[in-house]
Amino acid sequence: MQVLLQVATIFLLMMMGFSAMKLRVVDGRGVSMLSAVVLYFAQPCLVLGKMQQPVTPTLLMELGWMFVLTCVIMSVSGLIAWTVFRSQPHDRRAVLANLVMASNCGFMGYPVIIAAMGEDALIYAVMYVSAFNVICWTLGSYFFRGISAVSPRRIITNPTILAVLFGVVLLCTGWRLPGFVNDALNSMGGITTPVAMFVIGARLVGLRLSDLHDRSMLLACGLRLIAVPLLVLLALRATPLPPQVTSALYLCSAMPGASLTAMQSDLYDCEKEFASRGVAVSTALSMLSVPLLLMII
């Protein structure tokens, strides 16, 4: 019950963003700026602050499994979706495959992981997001525009990836940043959940009832929100993986379509409005699916 109440708090933050956008307290430009603050500052600070903790060989092994299994889960789900939607025009097919493959594991996954598993579990979600960025800018880009769109530079210059790499150094060496630096990191990282949820809620304003009539979009949302996480949970429970790894992979896989899908569709000029609607629809539907899936773990 406590976890569900915490998730309800997260959704209330989304409704605040929705209300602010609806009442024109903020506009699209303001929401984009808030999103950039989370992406380039708050999330990396949160990651770097949380990765300064005592490390054991067991934890390092678990983090390695998180990274590898995330790559496998995303790649398999993306390729399956690419096959399922083969009858769609190429651009729509690319958007739908990315919607199924990429979950909103950063903006929405971090707060849900903290609510369900505690702050110490955030480090597992960090590894998921690291692998997420690798797959999205390789296989995801390939879906959009072929091999020419694959950009390793976008991977190594991603703020969260850079924070993870530096964090791994701190994790493995036992080095710690000065106290005043960590205070700044923790203060900035602390805005991640409220601002990220505010942004997601604000972007739901453009959602229309007619968007729910698109069968291909609803199928993609069903795969993203129900099929993928349940198959991940069933498959991983048959392995000797620690429960915290299984639960983290399951919860990150249960998040709605990633906002990065809409950003990439804009970058590659590929069904931009359709992608934005897909992210909005899956986010709206996740208000029903996420609380239900949380009851399973």
Side-chain angles (χ1 to χ4, degrees):
M1 177 60 70
Q2 186 62 33
V3 172
L4 292 180
L5 289 175
Q6 289 173 311
V7 173
T9 300
I10 291 171
F11 286 132
L12 281 176
L13 291 170
M14 292 172 61
M15 290 301 98
M16 292 179 189
F18 180 89
S19 301
M21 190 72 167
K22 198 73 173 175
L23 296 172
R24 298 183 180 179
V25 176
V26 295
D27 57 13
R29 180 178 173 80
V31 171
S32 296
M33 292 176 67
L34 287 174
S35 179
V37 169
V38 173
L39 179 63
Y40 290 102
F41 291 96
Q43 276 192 357
C45 287
L46 180 66
V47 166
L48 201 52
K50 296 303 180 184
M51 290 193 76
Q52 296 179 68
Q53 65 179 45
V55 67
T56 63
T58 299
L59 177 60
L60 287 176
M61 182 180 67
E62 290 173 355
L63 295 179
W65 276 116
M66 279 294 302
F67 187 90
V68 171
L69 289 174
T70 299
C71 290
V72 172
I73 290 166
M74 290 186 64
S75 298
V76 170
S77 59
L79 291 171
I80 289 174
W82 185 251
T83 303
V84 168
F85 296 110
R86 61 185 178 275
S87 62
Q88 296 288 327
H90 176 272
D91 285 2
R92 285 175 65 96
R93 184 187 186 190
V95 169
L96 292 166
N98 274 278
L99 279 173
V100 175
M101 179 179 74
S103 70
N104 200 347
C105 49
F107 269 33
M108 193 167 174
Y110 283 178
V112 171
I113 286 284
I114 292 172
M117 300 174 63
E119 289 201 4
D120 289 343
L122 183 63
I123 194 168
Y124 297 103
V126 166
M127 296 311 296
Y128 191 105
V129 172
S130 301
F132 160 91
N133 279 289
V134 171
I135 298 300
C136 284
W137 290 111
T138 52
L139 183 59
S141 295
Y142 177 81
F143 286 155
F144 279 114
R145 286 293 177 258
I147 193 65
S148 62
V150 177
S151 176
R153 182 179 63 84
R154 293 185 182 276
I155 299 171
I156 61 176
T157 58
N158 181 278
T160 300
I161 293 290
L162 292 175
V164 168
L165 292 175
F166 189 33
V168 167
V169 173
L170 297 175
L171 198 67
C172 294
T173 61
W175 296 341
R176 295 293 180 264
L177 297 174
F180 72 94
V181 175
N182 279 320
D183 288 344
L185 291 175
N186 292 329
S187 295
M188 192 67 193
I191 73 169
T192 300
T193 294
V195 177
M197 293 301 99
F198 187 95
V199 167
I200 290 173
R203 286 178 171 164
L204 290 178
V205 168
L207 188 63
R208 300 188 298 270
L209 189 61
S210 59
D211 294 332
L212 299 176
H213 297 160
D214 190 312
R215 293 184 179 180
S216 62
M217 186 181 292
L218 289 178
L219 176 57
C221 291
L223 293 172
R224 165 75 269 135
L225 296 170
I226 303 297
V228 170
L230 289 181
L231 288 173
V232 166
L233 185 63
L234 288 173
L236 294 182
R237 280 190 171 175
T239 70
L241 285 170
Q244 59 269 28
V245 174
T246 299
S247 297
L249 284 166
Y250 166 66
L251 289 175
C252 286
S253 298
M255 295 302 103
S259 55
L260 182 58
T261 296
M263 293 168 60
Q264 285 184 304
S265 68
D266 190 20
L267 176 67
Y268 300 121
D269 193 22
C270 184
E271 289 281 357
K272 294 178 286 187
E273 292 185 3
F274 179 71
S276 296
R277 291 200 306 272
V279 172
V281 169
S282 67
T283 302
L285 293 176
S286 72
M287 295 183 188
L288 298 174
S289 65
V290 169
L292 293 174
L293 293 175
L294 277 169
M295 295 179 183
I296 299 176
I297 61 171

